[in-house]
Each structure stands twice: as C-alpha cells, then as structure tokens.
Amino acid sequence: MDFDLIVIGSGPGGYKAAVAAAHGGARVAIVERDRPGGTCLNQGCIPKKTLLYLAGLIEDVNALNGHGLCGSTHGDFTAALAHKDRVVANIRNNFPTWLKRLGVHVHRGHARFLDARRVAVTPEPDDAEPGEVLSAPRIIVATGAHPREHAVCRSDGDRIITSRDFMFEQRDLPETILCLGGGPIGVELAYLMHQFGARVTIAEQSGRLLNKPCIPERASALIERKFRRLGIDVQKNITIAGAEHRPEGVHVQFTDESERTYERVLVAIGRQPHTAGLNLPAAGVELDDSGFIVTNEYLESTAPGIYAVGDVKYGPMTANAALHDAKVAVTNAMKGNSVTRNYNRVPIVIDSALEIAAVGLTEERAEDAGFEPEVARANFAASAKSLGRNDYEGFIEVVHDDETGQMLGGCIVGPEAGEQIQLLTAACQSPRGLWFLKDISYSHPSWCEELENAIDPYTADFIQSGREVFRPGIYAIGE
Ligand SMILES: Cc1cc2nc3c(=O)[nH]c(=O)nc-3n(C[C@H](O)[C@H](O)[C@H](O)COP(=O)(O)OP(=O)(O)OC[C@H]3O[C@@H](n4cnc5c(N)ncnc54)[C@H](O)[C@@H]3O)c2cc1C
C-alpha cells in the first residue's frame, strides 16, 4: 500500500487534489469514511443549488403571470426534496467509479495518522487494530468541517436543526422557522423555505446580512430590501438568549428581550473544522486556537510533506476555495513548494432571492490596501436581456485602481451572477486588466455585456488622457 500521495476526505478539496495528482502521473489513494463527495455534494452546494433552482422558478413563473404566462404556481417541498435526493444520489453513485477510472485508489473507512508518512484506515473511528495501512511521502488532509452549534440552542435533528439535518433529515416544511444567522447558508435556506411556503424569520447578530469583507454593503442592503418585499422577516443586531422546547415548537428568547415560538429553528452560525479522530499529533500537525490545521502560504502544515486544503484549515470555507487549495497543494506536494494560495482570485457566490457573486477586493478593502479605487457600475435595470426576462434587479461593480487601471475585484448581483463572475475573475487574473473586459466580443443581448457598459467611461477616460498602458492586474497569473 505504498503511494506517491494519500488524500484524506473526498469533498471538493480532496477529490480535486486526488484527480490533479493522478493526472500528473502520481499513484494516489483517497480515503473517505462517509458518503463520497463530502459536504458539497451531499449536504451543501449541489442539493442546495438543485432546490434553489426550483425556488427561483416559482418566483419567476409567478412574476410572469399575466405577462404571457397564465396562472400562478407553487412548490411541493416533499417532492422537491425527493428530486434533490435523486440528483445527489445519481452523482454520488458514479463518483467512486469516476475516481477509479482516473487511476485513483479509493479506500472506504476512517483515516488516522500512525506517523507523518503512514495512515491507518479502519471501519470504525476507534478501532484499536490499524486495519489497512497506507504510506506515502506526501499526504493531503481534506477532512472538511461540520456545522457549529449554538450554546443555548443545540440542534436535536428535529425541532432545532443544522444545514446537515435540513438536507438529510427534514422531510416536511415547517409552517414557521427561525433561521439563526444571516450568513450565506442562512440567507439561502431562508429564501428556499419561504418560496415553498414557510413563514421565515432571519435573526442576524451583526448590523447586516452577509456580513463578509468580500461582500459590498450595497449587495447586503439590496437582498435585505428584497427579503422584506417578499415577506421574510429580517431582524438584525440580535441573537438568541434562550430556547426551550414546547409542544407547539421552540420558544425563543431574543437578546432584545422579545420572545416568539417557531415550529423549527435552523442554526446556521458557521462551521467548525473537522479533525477529531485523525490523530494529528502523531504526525506533528498542529492546530490553531480555533481548531483549524495551521498551514503556511504553500498550504503545508507544521509537518513537512503534509498539506491541508479546504474547510479544515483557516480561509474561506467554500467549495470554490477548497478547489483552489487543491490545485495549490498538489503542485507543491508533487513538485516542491512554489505556488502560494491567493483567495483574491477565488470568487464567492451566494444564491438566494438575488444571486450575489464577488471576487477580489471591495472598494473599502482596496482603499485599506492602499489603492485609489474607482468603481465602474452598471444596473441590470438597463439591460435588454434582463428587461426581456422580467428579472432586472441588481448591479455590476468593477473595482479598479484609478491611477493604473489595475483590476482589483468586483461584485455582481443579479441573474446568473455565479456564471457571470467567471468573466470578472478571468479579467482579474489577466495581465490586461480592464482591457480584457473591453476587448471581448460579447454576445447580445446578454448579461455579461453589462461589464463592458460599466467600464466604458473609464477606458474612454484612460484613452483620452493618453494613459493607455495599464499595469497588469494585481492577481495576474504568471506575475
Ligand atoms: C448548505 C451548504 C451550502 C453550501 N453551498 C456552497 C456553494 O454554493 N458554493 C461553495 O463554494 N461552497 C458551498 N458550501 C461550502 C462547501 O460545501 C464546503 O466549503 C466544501 O464542501 C469544503 O470542501 P472540503 O473538501 O474542505 O470538505 P468536505 O466537503 O466537508 O469533505 C470532507 C470529507 O472528508 C471526510 N472525512 C472527514 N474525516 C475523515 C477521516 N478521518 N477519514 C476519512 N474521511 C474523512 C468527510 O466524510 C467528508 O466527506 C456550502 C455548505 C453548506 C453546508
């Protein structure tokens, strides 16, 4: 059982690393103790996106009632969950075969370090016997994370649930639900349940929804306004002080001393790295105070040759970041440390009542970093395609440096923002910066052409002032 690389965990960080190494000719083993595909496939991105597509369709179809479509529609939550289960099972059932076809050796069981080069794989986490023993000079830990519990509102899988329970256990729609936490998971699942007919409240402890440095406040304000219009109750600067089970549901006391009873509570207050049972001290891998595996910019842990990717180490806890990490870690593990992680290159996408996608720096963060940011803007209300689709709420922001024209980042709120962001991401990575967006031949009518409309006044200004040669974007690949 000697390999060039062992990967622990088969979520996006793990499978991407295993496949990339196998493509490079390495002999690779991957170990998975649970359902292949990790959080992303089984309880995260894929099932969520499947359900949110239906939720969005309900809104779109009803908005076009009287505009060429007749009658209104509504969702069947139980059938939607069954549809979601079929989609996920279909992908999952093909997953191990796909990995094996690419030459990756798939091992089922709990991985535990014996030392810095050997990993035992056992059917149960606490098996005394080591079972299979795999060895390799390089190991990548990609064991992910699990939902964080709230101290006074612990999940029971029934009335008080996490996103995991939502995806695995919930079979019916509650009449009323409190989403504790207005981060990405909270706003996505809140919209989903609202569209299927639940009365939803979001309680967010900070002063805005999606309170993340990479999301501009304008995007948070727009989604909050839409939630209020739809009838989703948004409470900010508030959290739970106590929760008690009653026959009619969970009775919640809030920090502003108000009280209410909900049929169910969804706790979505973040995720915690998963390292239990790995026996990391045996390999010399250290954790930080929050339980994340400590890594350097090459994603190598405190133990030489052992790397960590995805949610288990500090950084953005998204599949997008895990996929980025995997490429970085595999290159470094197989060829020596040469590539550094850079999350400014990795987009984030939130799919809710509005799709929100962002990459790189916001205007505020660009200012903090010492740039003189200028924000080129366009609104989808002026987009022919959006008007034709009756879906025109949202905007594009392209953040660039006023002096040099360097691309710094941007945000797109609106239809298919998660697809449109690929273009902005490519522009950020291109040495041509704003010119990358200017010189594309766009299809028309399209949403992406609004990127050119946004930057047009700025490129014109650069041309007229004779400053036509931009410096490459700050994230340009190959710099
Ligand atoms: C509801 C929800 C929606 C989300 N939507 C998005 C989205 O739209 N876009 C996005 O980018 N991100 C999204 N995320 C986040 C995304 O799912 C995670 O960031 C991503 O899955 C992390 O990937 P990973 O490879 O680090 O870990 P995971 O996907 O969690 O995979 C880790 C794997 O390791 C296995 N494992 C753990 N310990 C061991 C062990 N000792 N031995 C063997 N195997 C082990 C686990 O069983 C698991 O399969 C969402 C998350 C949730 C909860």
Side-chain angles (χ1 to χ4, degrees):
M1 290 296 182
D2 287 339
F3 295 91
D4 299 317
L5 177 72
I6 299 168
V7 179
I8 307 175
S10 71
Y15 80 73
K16 188 75 174 178
V19 168
H23 279 321
R27 205 172 127 76
V28 184
I30 192 166
V31 189
E32 175 54 61
R33 60 172 190 170
D34 199 349
R35 302 170 208 220
T39 304
C40 170
L41 171 57
N42 297 290
Q43 34 170 319
C45 326
I46 310 292
K48 174 204 78 181
K49 194 84 187 160
T50 305
L51 291 167
L52 278 167
Y53 176 64
L54 297 172
L57 270 184
I58 296 169
E59 186 182 335
D60 291 347
V61 168
N62 287 334
L64 286 165
N65 183 9
H67 298 267
L69 296 185
C70 303
S72 61
T73 191
H74 62 274
D76 174 340
F77 191 63
T78 307
L81 290 179
H83 166 64
K84 176 267 293 179
D85 288 342
R86 281 193 299 275
V87 170
V88 171
N90 185 20
I91 301 172
R92 191 175 53 225
N93 293 343
N94 290 317
F95 205 79
T97 322
W98 173 66
L99 286 173
K100 281 179 198 155
R101 209 172 50 232
L102 292 169
V104 177
H105 295 247
V106 179
H107 298 260
R108 302 302 301 270
H110 294 256
R112 177 173 92 232
F113 279 94
L114 296 174
D115 55 42
R117 298 289 171 263
R118 290 184 309 144
V119 167
V121 182
T122 56
E124 298 300 327
D126 42 11
D127 280 344
E129 291 300 312
E132 269 183 314
V133 177
L134 315 178
S135 70
R138 300 283 180 266
I139 298 172
I140 293 180
V141 183
T143 49
H146 52 267
R148 183 180 300 151
E149 291 284 354
H150 191 287
V152 299
C153 191
R154 300 193 73 78
S155 65
D156 61 4
D158 178 24
R159 294 287 186 156
I160 303 177
I161 59 172
T162 63
S163 59
R164 184 185 193 286
D165 304 320
F166 178 93
M167 293 298 177
F168 287 153
E169 314 293 346
Q170 189 173 247
R171 291 295 107 192
D172 59 342
L173 187 72
E175 215 165 278
T176 56
I177 185 155
L178 170 69
C179 292
L180 185 60
I185 294 176
V187 304
E188 291 178 335
L189 298 186
Y191 173 67
L192 173 57
M193 287 187 280
H194 170 271
Q195 285 306 104
F196 279 90
R199 270 185 291 133
V200 181
T201 301
I202 300 176
E204 164 56 41
Q205 67 172 6
S206 77
R208 68 163 168 134
L209 297 177
L210 301 174
N211 189 8
K212 291 188 166 289
C214 57
I215 304 290
E217 289 196 17
R218 211 166 151 231
S220 299
L222 199 61
I223 196 160
E224 183 184 332
R225 206 157 60 227
K226 178 146 185 205
F227 274 168
R228 291 195 193 283
R229 203 171 69 231
L230 290 173
I232 295 174
D233 179 17
V234 179
Q235 302 289 332
K236 295 182 292 184
N237 300 307
I238 202 172
T239 187
I240 286 191
E244 158 196 325
H245 286 270
R246 291 195 179 164
E248 65 276 23
V250 185
H251 187 72
V252 174
Q253 294 106 42
F254 292 100
T255 41
D256 68 352
E257 298 188 348
S258 61
E259 302 189 4
R260 246 176 91 181
T261 303
Y262 300 90
E263 193 179 326
R264 234 167 261 166
V265 176
L266 170 79
V267 180
I269 55 168
R271 295 176 58 78
Q272 264 186 317
H274 194 94
T275 54
L278 280 170
N279 195 23
L280 292 172
V285 174
E286 289 171 18
L287 305 181
D288 68 15
D289 291 345
S290 306
F292 291 103
I293 291 181
V294 175
T295 55
N296 60 18
E297 69 272 36
Y298 301 107
L299 297 177
E300 192 170 23
S301 72
T302 46
I306 300 180
Y307 294 77
V309 300
D311 287 1
V312 76
K313 54 105 207 56
Y314 182 74
M317 295 176 87
T318 66
N320 303 355
L323 294 165
H324 166 84
D325 286 350
K327 293 185 198 170
V328 171
V330 163
T331 306
N332 294 334
M334 305 321 292
K335 297 182 180 162
N337 289 348
S338 55
V339 187
T340 55
R341 52 161 167 62
N342 185 346
Y343 298 119
N344 282 331
R345 286 190 182 135
V346 182
I348 179 169
V349 179
I350 293 127
D351 195 354
S352 181
L354 293 166
E355 206 163 306
I356 299 175
V359 68
L361 302 179
T362 57
E363 186 179 9
E364 294 72 28
R365 286 176 73 206
E367 254 162 22
D368 293 346
F371 294 98
E372 284 182 33
E374 191 63 71
V375 184
R377 291 198 166 92
N379 280 317
F380 286 112
S383 152
K385 177 159 178 173
S386 288
L387 291 165
R389 292 275 186 115
N390 198 31
D391 187 2
Y392 44 80
E393 202 165 357
F395 60 82
I396 286 177
E397 286 187 356
V398 181
V399 184
H400 59 279
D401 186 68
D402 183 39
E403 183 61 29
T404 63
Q406 286 181 317
M407 285 289 299
L408 302 175
C411 177
I412 301 176
V413 179
E416 298 289 354
E419 292 295 331
Q420 295 189 59
I421 199 73
Q422 325 284 14
L423 206 52
L424 206 46
T425 305
C428 286
Q429 293 190 177
S430 162
R432 305 189 65 239
L434 282 184
W435 294 122
F436 177 93
L437 293 174
K438 179 66 197 154
D439 290 345
I440 286 178
S441 296
Y442 294 88
S443 70
H444 175 77
S446 68
W447 289 304
C448 285
E449 66 185 342
E450 295 308 322
L451 282 164
E452 187 183 6
N453 290 336
I455 64 161
D456 259 349
Y458 297 91
T459 47
D461 190 46
F462 272 98
I463 291 167
Q464 281 163 25
S465 61
R467 293 179 293 143
E468 285 168 57
V469 183
F470 291 178
R471 284 205 214 135
I474 52 169
Y475 327 120
I477 299 280
E479 274 194 295

